[in-house]
Amino acid sequence: MSFYNKVSYLDVNLKNTKVILRLDFSNCIFNGEIYDEYKFFSNIDSIKEILKSNPLLVIFYSINNDDDNSELAKKIEKFINLPVDEIFSLKEIKFNSKNILLFNCIFLQEDYHKENEELSKQIAMLIDLFIFDSIALVNLKNVSTYGISKFCHSVIGPIVKRELDNINRFISMQQEKIYICGLERMFNKLSYIQNMFNITTNVFFADGCSLTFLKSLNKNIGKSFFEEEIIKDIVKIQNNFFKKILLPKDFHSIEKFNQNELKNIEVDTNKNDSIYMLDIGDETLLNIKKKCSSSKAILLEGVLGMIELPLFQQQTNDLLQFLKTLSKDKDIFVFLCGNTLVNFLRHNKFNCNDFSYVSHAEKKIINLFLKKDIHCLTIIEDNIL
């Protein structure tokens, strides 16, 4: 598993070393306030951890175009108790131990989103070490990630190390483990899903993907959405992994989207062609909990139903409360991932630290499990010690 064991900040001497730390603050600040606390404070913890070794530090960061970065320097300064000065060009980089410099990679202009070897070399010559600590940017092949890492000594930071350690832990565990797949669509994720069959005991399908599996078995799913274009592929998966596949036995359903009352419909006895199956049912939720209780590792990706409608948030909320309790047992590993799920955690006031691990990979979790299109990590050396 050397791929998941990269040379990290712990393996080098950082004292008085000129360092660029690459972070991602996208979606962290909104209207001057901290919006995504888990992501923001993970970045803060990364900075604090690196500062323990007394490097000369410049932070390269990225944000979304509509993010508010006007308060970012002040927010960081508040939590690390060290002056933070924003700079706007590479010429302003002056390394010293008295403050931290903060550089928004958008100022690399047109070179930010593409390879530019000359610019990458120019930045690499300014530093002794590049610390890559933004797992959500792992698939990019631009100047501020892959480019710099090609031309100077590069290691992974605390966030990336924790991500890789936890993925490796899940893959390496030999005890019973379950992958709960709450993806809405599977069209471009079939190789990933098949890979999950190879590394887990069971795969339970919920949300939209479960309906495509049920349709492939000629079950009546009413007017519910399914991916007709991949039915043949799903039939093959059913044939190859039928012993590992777990599907819902019942659903919370409605006939009209303006309804405030749902019905619990059993899949095998359903004769109603007009219903929309939008969340797993009560018996199915109970079955998932039982399966999780007998597992030593649980990977939940996505949600269980159409959470855009408040009526169909309860089962996901209920399962998360249950997994939160399981996480208190240190022998059980509860791993949560996916944009939709992490957003659900935030909006429903869950504390990410109440679970064994909540991934920072967002949509890139697929790349990490498949070891595919992870350009920056391929440059950084494996730690063979």
Side-chain angles (χ1 to χ4, degrees), residues 104-310:
N104 186 347
C105 293
I106 200 70
F107 294 116
L108 296 175
Q109 297 177 350
E110 72 275 6
D111 299 306
Y112 176 50
H113 292 293
K114 65 181 182 180
E115 285 189 81
N116 182 320
E117 289 204 348
E118 287 306 311
L119 183 56
S120 298
K121 288 178 182 177
Q122 179 186 341
I123 298 171
M125 288 176 65
L126 297 173
I127 59 177
D128 302 311
L129 183 70
F130 178 62
I131 302 179
F132 178 71
D133 210 21
S134 175
I135 202 73
L137 305 179
V138 73
N139 67 319
L140 296 184
K141 209 170 183 181
N142 59 22
V143 169
S144 65
T145 55
Y146 178 79
I148 300 174
S149 61
K150 277 175 66 177
F151 298 106
C152 69
H153 188 200
S154 301
V155 300
I156 60 173
I159 295 171
V160 175
K161 178 172 170 50
R162 194 161 61 248
E163 186 83 26
L164 297 183
D165 285 349
N166 280 286
I167 290 175
N168 189 27
R169 179 183 175 186
F170 182 82
I171 292 173
S172 301
M173 288 183 74
Q174 299 301 310
Q175 301 101 319
E176 186 168 342
K177 50 190 173 183
I178 183 171
Y179 168 50
I180 303 171
C181 180
L183 297 172
E184 183 180 359
R185 296 172 182 266
M186 300 178 286
F187 176 71
N188 59 348
K189 304 179 180 73
L190 292 178
S191 59
Y192 168 62
I193 289 170
Q194 291 185 70
N195 182 60
M196 286 302 183
F197 281 111
N198 295 325
I199 62 176
T200 59
T201 312
N202 291 107
V203 177
F204 173 81
F205 291 96
D207 201 20
C209 60
S210 67
L211 297 165
T212 303
F213 270 89
L214 290 169
K215 190 67 177 180
S216 76
L217 295 171
N218 296 314
K219 301 294 184 180
N220 185 356
I221 61 170
K223 292 183 177 179
S224 307
F225 169 81
F226 69 98
E227 295 176 89
E228 187 172 5
E229 67 274 21
I230 62 168
I231 285 290
K232 290 182 179 179
D233 297 298
I234 297 302
V235 169
K236 290 179 183 177
I237 291 175
Q238 295 265 25
N239 292 335
N240 291 334
F241 301 104
F242 66 95
K243 290 184 178 180
K244 290 191 170 188
I245 294 173
L246 302 173
L247 295 171
K249 293 183 177 295
D250 58 343
F251 280 89
H252 284 174
S253 308
I254 54 175
E255 291 190 9
K256 295 179 181 178
F257 279 92
N258 58 359
Q259 278 184 224
N260 291 320
E261 210 172 305
L262 55 80
K263 294 181 180 179
N264 199 76
I265 302 290
E266 291 188 12
V267 173
D268 287 337
T269 58
N270 177 46
K271 295 181 181 179
N272 189 340
D273 298 328
S274 301
I275 60 166
Y276 297 92
M277 297 175 170
L278 300 179
D279 200 0
I280 63 168
D282 299 333
E283 182 184 354
T284 299
L285 180 62
L286 186 61
N287 290 339
I288 294 177
K289 289 181 178 180
K290 288 179 180 178
K291 201 68 183 175
C292 289
S293 295
S294 64
S295 299
K296 286 297 184 182
I298 301 125
L299 174 59
L300 171 60
E301 181 174 11
V303 293
L304 302 181
M306 190 176 180
I307 59 167
E308 291 83 358
L309 299 177

Side-chain angles (χ1 to χ4, degrees), residues 8-52:
S8 80
Y9 70 102
L10 295 173
D11 302 310
V12 293
N13 182 7
L14 296 178
K15 188 172 182 179
N16 295 325
T17 300
K18 296 176 182 177
V19 172
I20 285 178
L21 172 63
R22 182 62 164 95
L23 295 173
D24 173 32
F25 279 96
S26 301
N27 302 316
C28 285
I29 308 291
F30 184 72
N31 286 338
E33 300 297 326
I34 299 171
Y35 177 66
D36 188 335
E37 291 189 357
Y38 180 61
K39 186 173 183 178
F40 177 82
F41 285 109
S42 292
N43 283 326
I44 294 297
D45 289 343
S46 173
I47 297 169
K48 287 181 176 180
E49 181 69 14
I50 299 301
L51 286 174
K52 287 179 182 178

